[in-house]
Amino acid sequence: MKMLVVYEKMGPHRFIGHLDLQRAMQRALRRAGLPVRYSQGFNPHLLLSFAAPLSVGVQGAREVMELPLAREMEEQAFLDRLNAALPEGLKALAARALEEETPPAMARLQAARYTLKPEEGLEALGQALPGFLAQASIPFEKRGKAGVRQADLRPLIHDLQLHGGALHALLALSEQGSARPDQLLASLCEYAGIPRPRCLITRTALLDKRLLPLEQP
Amino acid sequence: MNPEMNQRLEALLETVQRPARYTGGEVNAVKKDWAGRTTFCFAFPDTYEVAMSHLGMKVLYEAVNREDDLLCERAMMPWVDMMAGLKEQGIPLFSLESHRPLRDFDAVGFTLQYEMSYTNILAMLDLGGIPLEGRQRPPEAPFVIAGGPCAFNPEPLAPIIDAFLLGDGETATLEMLRVIGQGRAAGLSREDILVNLAGVPGVYVPSLYEASYHEDGSLAAFTPLMPQAPLPIRKRLELDLDAAAFPQRTPLPFSEAVHDRIVLEIMRGCTRGCRFCQAGMLYRPVRERSPEKLLELAKGLFEATGYEEMSLSSLSTGDYSQLLGLIGSLNACFMDQRVSLSLPSLRIDNQLQEALVDTARVKKSGLTLAPEAGSQRLRDVINKGVTEEDLLRSVTEAFEQGWSSVKLYFMIGLPTETDEDLLGIADLARKVVACYYALPKEKRARGLKVVVSASTFVPKPFTPFQWAAQDSLDDIRRKQALLREALKIRGVTFNWHDPQTSFLEACFARGDRRLAKVLLRAYALGCLLDGWSEHFNYQAWLQAFRDTGLDPALYANRVRGKGELLPWELADIGVTRAFLWREHERALAGQVTPDCRLGCEGCGLRRFDGVCLP
Ligand code: SF4
């Protein structure tokens, strides 16, 4: 069996880079004495995979990781033991026991929800929003391994609303294409003609193609 | 930190590299209530990644926090981007735990690991809101204390540090903090508390002494200003390491540290008597932790951290009397948890290597050897008891066991060194390469890599070479060029550094209290993070010497006479001047001195009432 774990990465923990987070989670699993599995070979490593890395500075309210287990375990017992080894702000929120054959979370991932709380400029952004979304395409420069290339943000924005003092976005996040929330903010600010404000971004959900959370396969 | 400042800090963290260095809140970090406690900030004068690799900080952090009446928090040197941001935002340098400015603590303690971190101490004091010099500090300012290997020559920091601890800190630090806490509670003046600190065994309070100088710049006299100021100051010793504090719940860095693993200190001290090695003299006598204690500590550390790697720390791991047993029991204990044991820089003159191949969980990280000098003659001078035969045997064994990379460490500029000795380095490298090719092709691993590193020799206090001159920069550069040519060998890489940093190290390692002026001036000229080559500004340092009218060559390149009073002789490390001088003369005569476990060589430590080997 394998265990899917939903966890948070809030507050100061948003500054931990992905590699550092991987290491921190592996060590927590080891401290907790959970029945983890290791790769073969001379330098075995603990088998653990993450649905999607989070950029440094962005909070995660319901992030997802998965690991194969060496023996069966109750979800609640797993959760309790793991949490005893995790610091505040990096707690596990749910554990789901899954069949080994369930496709990996990473492969099921299609989209993510974000909230963006800009420190200022909310009014201007609200006014710009309808026009921004009405554009047929929103070109931007995407930086990748292969250098800078032109890409279109519009088809990657599934939904974008402003209410309660925050922007709420549903963005594509899959191997076929992803939009970054900071890029969305940059493009929207550019369209609204305002400088980019400081903005706390939180990823609130990771969704599959049915737009259901990954922990409900 | 007030909420508004916290806001500004949050905003700042979003703009700096590796913000996790500054957030704290790591697993096992300790946050105690300040009320009614003496507060201590352990300040590490280098970046988070370096600090969090340092065992001494972990030891003291836990030793202090274990006490109910005390608390210990941590602060490190911010990187340049953060430093600029803190200044711009008017945020003082703060501790990781409670986010309080350094100036709010009762005591701030620096560890002195290397001379080139001294400007960082000034920067941290400055950013933390503490006046740089002791005499400028108001009554409520923290007591600035320091320890670590460089505290054995405290003089270049004399006006800056209020009190130094010479020697082991596990117990003495607690005593110092209590003198400060109780003194403050009783309403004593800052001066009175300093006098009381001088009463703690092993503590040196520089403001209670006075130094005068001869015309030629050498030290004329060093005198206590009051009867309460001891001279010499005898170093502190933890005699029973099983009883000494050792960390069990070390804070786990979020941002990876240079050495991010369980570190077990198996032994303190070394009896080999290498003549260039300061630690070998400072940390006598040899004291071992028992294998049972170490296993217990290792288990606790694993449970508290989940680390995947473990290393053993000591000056000479191969000399630990029960090494094989220890490795065996550690491996057996941690087999299931997949904790690998790494054993860096093993001494080459023992059969350990063989035993290690049987233990599958020992990491193969390549073979590291430190012959230190290229010829037998020069190895005899420095008393590095290793022969070419030993070396080549270790190398051959390593190649046979499937290793293909070897690192060889040397020093250049050693006393009496000739070009012939230097060319011996190339000779040795060539022989190592030959050992590899002597094996049949199918028996050796592919990709031979021999790395030869040559550092510049820095004569250190409390060694038989404490009287010696460092080679001039020109000499060192000529020697490096010679070696660069001679080491153009296939499969061999040569590593070397410009000797400017070593030159300054040599100045400060054997400096007197006048050098503090240079340090303050260099800091004012913008020098900091000198240990990071991209920030090291040699010209500014030279200017600081010029501006203060001191000649660096007087410190680095001068041969001291037998009768000269040396600034660091305020400390009694156990080993006597007479022993060091005898070793100095034997060195120049090329005579070796055997490992003193084979028979006491009379270094002087026995004066410390029966503390040495039976
Ligand atoms: S007193 Fe003798 S045995 Fe002890 S460290 Fe000194 S020389 Fe070695």
Side-chain angles (χ1 to χ4, degrees), chain B residues 271 284-285 596 600-606 612-613:
Chain B
T271 50
R284 288 179 182 209
C596 64
C600 178
E601 293 290 336
C603 75
L605 222 104
R606 292 239 156 121
C612 207
L613 308 158

Side-chain angles (χ1 to χ4, degrees), chain B residues 148-165:
Chain B
C150 295
F152 284 101
N153 180 25
E155 285 299 83
L157 292 169
I160 295 152
I161 304 293
D162 293 315
F164 292 90
L165 172 68

Side-chain angles (χ1 to χ4, degrees), chain A residues 12-16 20 23-24 27 30-31 38 42-44 56 85 87 119 198, chain B residues 10-11 13-14 19 252 254-256 260 302-308 337 339 360:
Chain A
H13 294 295
R14 72 182 186 277
F15 294 122
I16 306 172
D20 293 329
R23 198 179 309 109
R27 288 178 180 164
R30 288 158 62 78
R31 283 196 300 281
Y38 291 89
F42 199 78
N43 282 316
V56 172
E119 263 184 3
R198 219 190 124 209
Chain B
E10 289 267 308
L13 287 177
E14 283 162 23
L252 268 186
F254 277 130
S255 175
E256 193 175 18
D260 201 11
F302 174 77
E303 275 160 27
T305 62
Y307 272 132
E308 42 295 284
Q337 282 99 341
V339 181

Side-chain angles (χ1 to χ4, degrees), chain A residues 4-210:
Chain A
L4 180 150
V5 184
V6 181
Y7 65 93
E8 59 175 0
K9 184 169 178 276
M10 300 295 282
H13 294 295
R14 72 182 186 277
F15 294 122
I16 306 172
H18 186 61
L19 282 176
D20 293 329
L21 175 78
Q22 278 180 314
R23 198 179 309 109
M25 283 298 185
Q26 287 171 344
R27 288 178 180 164
L29 289 159
R30 288 158 62 78
R31 283 196 300 281
L34 290 162
V36 294
R37 293 218 315 241
Y38 291 89
S39 65
Q40 301 296 313
F42 199 78
N43 282 316
H45 59 270
L46 193 157
L47 297 173
L48 176 67
S49 58
F50 289 77
L54 201 53
S55 315
V56 172
V58 176
Q59 300 192 116
R62 292 190 76 78
E63 294 295 295
V64 169
M65 62 181 184
E66 282 182 317
L67 64 154
L69 292 187
R71 58 178 164 79
E72 303 273 310
M73 239 193 121
E74 291 285 326
E75 292 168 348
Q76 192 58 43
F78 182 95
L79 194 63
D80 292 346
R81 266 168 68 183
L82 179 55
N83 271 334
L86 286 172
E88 261 347 287
L90 204 61
K91 289 288 186 197
L93 307 172
R96 270 302 295 275
L98 300 177
E99 295 302 321
E100 200 92 44
E101 301 73 50
T102 318
M106 201 187 312
R108 292 188 289 120
L109 181 66
Q110 287 295 318
R113 285 190 199 283
Y114 298 86
T115 48
L116 299 88
K117 285 197 176 140
E119 263 184 3
E120 55 214 346
L122 218 60
E123 204 175 321
L125 292 178
Q127 281 163 5
L129 200 55
F132 178 72
L133 289 176
Q135 299 174 96
S137 82
I138 306 174
F140 73 103
E141 289 192 340
K142 192 180 170 108
R143 276 165 220 284
K145 285 187 200 99
V148 182
R149 61 181 179 84
Q150 287 292 318
D152 185 2
L153 190 62
R154 186 62 194 88
L156 304 172
I157 306 173
H158 298 325
D159 189 30
L160 179 60
Q161 298 178 22
L162 193 153
H163 56 77
L167 286 160
H168 300 268
L170 177 62
L171 303 178
L173 178 56
S174 76
E175 275 149 26
Q176 291 76 47
S178 304
R180 290 169 56 114
D182 50 347
Q183 181 58 53
L184 171 72
L185 182 69
S187 296
L188 180 57
C189 289
E190 195 188 312
Y191 183 84
I194 62 165
R196 214 187 118 164
R198 219 190 124 209
C199 179
L200 181 65
I201 302 175
T202 309
R203 183 153 78 188
T204 53
L206 293 171
L207 309 171
D208 64 13
K209 63 174 183 290
R210 303 162 302 165

Side-chain angles (χ1 to χ4, degrees), chain B residues 32-47:
Chain B
K32 282 176 145 182
D33 190 356
W34 274 46
R37 295 202 162 92
T38 304
T39 56
F40 176 51
C41 185
F42 190 108
F44 198 101
D46 210 319
T47 60

